[in-house]
Amino acid sequence: MKRTNASILEGFILLGFSDQPHLEMVLLLVISIIYILTLMGNTAIILVSYFSPKLHTPMYFFLSNLSFLDLCFTTSVVPQMLWNLKGPDKTISYTGCVIQLYVSLGLGSTECILLTVMAYDRFSAICRPLHYGVIMHPKLLRQLAALAWISGFVGSTVQTVLVFQLPLCSHHVVDDFTCEEPALIKIACVNTTFLENELSIASVLYVVIPLGLILVSYGCIVRTVLKIKSTEGRRKAFGTCGSHLIVVVLFFGTLTSIYIQPKSKYTQNYSKFLTLFYTVVTPSLNPLIYTLRNKEAKWALQRLLGRVFLSRNVMSLFSFGCFLKVL
């Protein structure tokens, strides 16, 4: 098949579950609810971390970055997904596909680095408690956050440019919900060995190495915690790491299934569900995991909500008083 400009003129068709319209209606409802919860939960984490002085700590600085990242990530993918699920039109423009791939790859890569940085923060807090304040000073926090964001989008730039330089087949049908790199490679009309090798290298840099560093960090943490004689001390130390570890398992578990495991191991529909879990479900769980497992976060959230309701009641009484004066 020869290269065609149809993809540039008409864009792409994202199949999703177009052959199962009843499932699409269910997914439309479920994803809409999860998306709203994601927006509310991650926004709440950012506001609580900003307005609560007790949460002005390195862990919540990085958690705020993670919540902002999840807001951007879901917003770059979910609205287009909902539009395609609600009706027969499954198209996305060429420019929209480029932007979606670039942003989703950049944010996904950034999250890999950011979770690694958060593991280093937990390592410093537990294994170097006396020097923690010196190690994790504000300047270093900003530098580590900048490193995560910049490195993520540098890799995304390279991968996006390489993918869209490929000659694409005339059907320009992407068998997925989003413009994922593996799905786009499948519709290329040339030998894609080079790009597949590049994807493998990127997977090593952004998935395998960060995951390895996280495992090493937790290995050191476990060794340090087991030296603590107090049962209460051990429980408290493991409790500070539990939320992060759950997020790491959920995020890297699905990510490795999509980008590292052999594609022949899964059916295409199973791969689509993995994509849904990675892009929709995981970002919605992060606020829930961190708030439910942390008393300070729950207390700060309750206090923030109390302030909001109190301010609304005061404004309502003030408005009612003004109304009575007018009468």
Side-chain angles (χ1 to χ4, degrees), residues 12-20 24 84-85 90-91 172-178 268 272:
F12 298 90
I13 299 172
L14 301 174
L15 285 182
F17 288 112
S18 55
D19 58 334
Q20 302 179 55
E24 283 192 325
N84 290 346
L85 285 171
K90 310 295 181 184
T91 59
H172 53 91
V173 175
V174 180
D175 194 10
D176 211 328
F177 284 99
T178 64
Q268 186 59 32
K272 292 175 185 178

Side-chain angles (χ1 to χ4, degrees), residues 57-314:
T57 62
M59 184 178 79
Y60 280 92
F61 171 78
F62 293 126
L63 182 57
S64 296
N65 274 266
L66 181 63
S67 293
F68 177 70
L69 185 152
D70 284 337
L71 284 174
C72 296
F73 182 73
T74 52
T75 303
S76 71
V77 173
V78 173
Q80 178 69 47
M81 188 184 295
L82 293 176
W83 175 263
N84 290 346
L85 285 171
K86 78 177 184 64
D89 184 11
K90 310 295 181 184
T91 59
I92 181 173
S93 67
Y94 182 86
T95 302
C97 191
V98 173
I99 293 173
Q100 188 180 84
L101 179 65
Y102 173 72
V103 173
S104 60
L105 277 178
L107 293 173
S109 302
T110 299
E111 185 161 355
C112 292
I113 307 299
L114 192 58
L115 288 174
T116 308
V117 170
M118 293 174 75
Y120 174 70
D121 171 64
R122 294 299 82 207
F123 164 80
S124 301
I126 294 175
C127 299
R128 301 286 187 272
L130 299 178
H131 302 90
Y132 179 64
V134 177
I135 296 172
M136 303 302 291
H137 54 84
K139 184 178 180 181
L140 180 62
L141 299 184
R142 292 190 293 270
Q143 290 174 340
L144 290 173
L147 173 66
W149 285 92
I150 293 172
S151 61
F153 278 93
V154 166
S156 175
T157 301
V158 174
Q159 290 174 265
T160 303
V161 169
L162 290 175
V163 167
F164 285 98
Q165 282 185 339
L166 287 173
L168 302 176
C169 297
S170 57
H171 57 76
H172 53 91
V173 175
V174 180
D175 194 10
D176 211 328
F177 284 99
T178 64
C179 291
E180 285 277 355
E181 186 174 359
L184 289 169
I185 291 175
K186 289 180 180 179
I187 64 172
C189 296
V190 293
N191 189 307
T192 58
T193 302
F194 170 77
L195 197 57
E196 289 173 0
N197 291 336
E198 182 274 333
L199 179 59
S200 298
I201 293 171
S203 298
V204 170
L205 291 176
Y206 289 101
V207 180
V208 177
I209 292 177
L211 183 57
L213 292 174
I214 291 171
L215 292 176
V216 170
S217 297
Y218 274 101
C220 296
I221 289 171
V222 170
R223 187 176 63 181
T224 301
V225 171
L226 290 178
K227 293 179 181 178
I228 300 174
K229 296 180 180 180
S230 168
T231 305
E232 180 64 21
R234 289 184 182 181
R235 187 193 63 78
K236 186 176 180 180
F238 280 127
T240 61
C241 301
S243 300
H244 177 257
L245 193 57
I246 293 172
V247 171
V248 166
V249 171
L250 290 173
F251 180 75
F252 280 97
T254 53
L255 202 62
T256 52
S257 298
I258 294 171
Y259 285 95
I260 296 179
Q261 288 285 351
K263 298 299 177 288
S264 59
K265 186 175 179 178
Y266 305 114
T267 64
Q268 186 59 32
N269 283 345
Y270 185 71
S271 297
K272 292 175 185 178
F273 278 114
L274 286 175
T275 300
L276 281 177
F277 189 85
Y278 161 64
T279 57
V280 179
V281 179
T282 303
S284 70
L285 294 177
N286 291 350
L288 192 64
I289 292 168
Y290 275 100
T291 53
L292 287 181
R293 293 184 59 86
N294 191 295
K295 292 181 180 179
E296 289 184 350
K298 284 191 288 187
W299 176 84
L301 182 59
Q302 290 170 359
R303 189 175 180 183
L304 179 63
L305 291 174
R307 286 180 180 177
V308 172
F309 288 125
L310 179 62
S311 63
R312 284 185 177 180
N313 291 334
V314 170

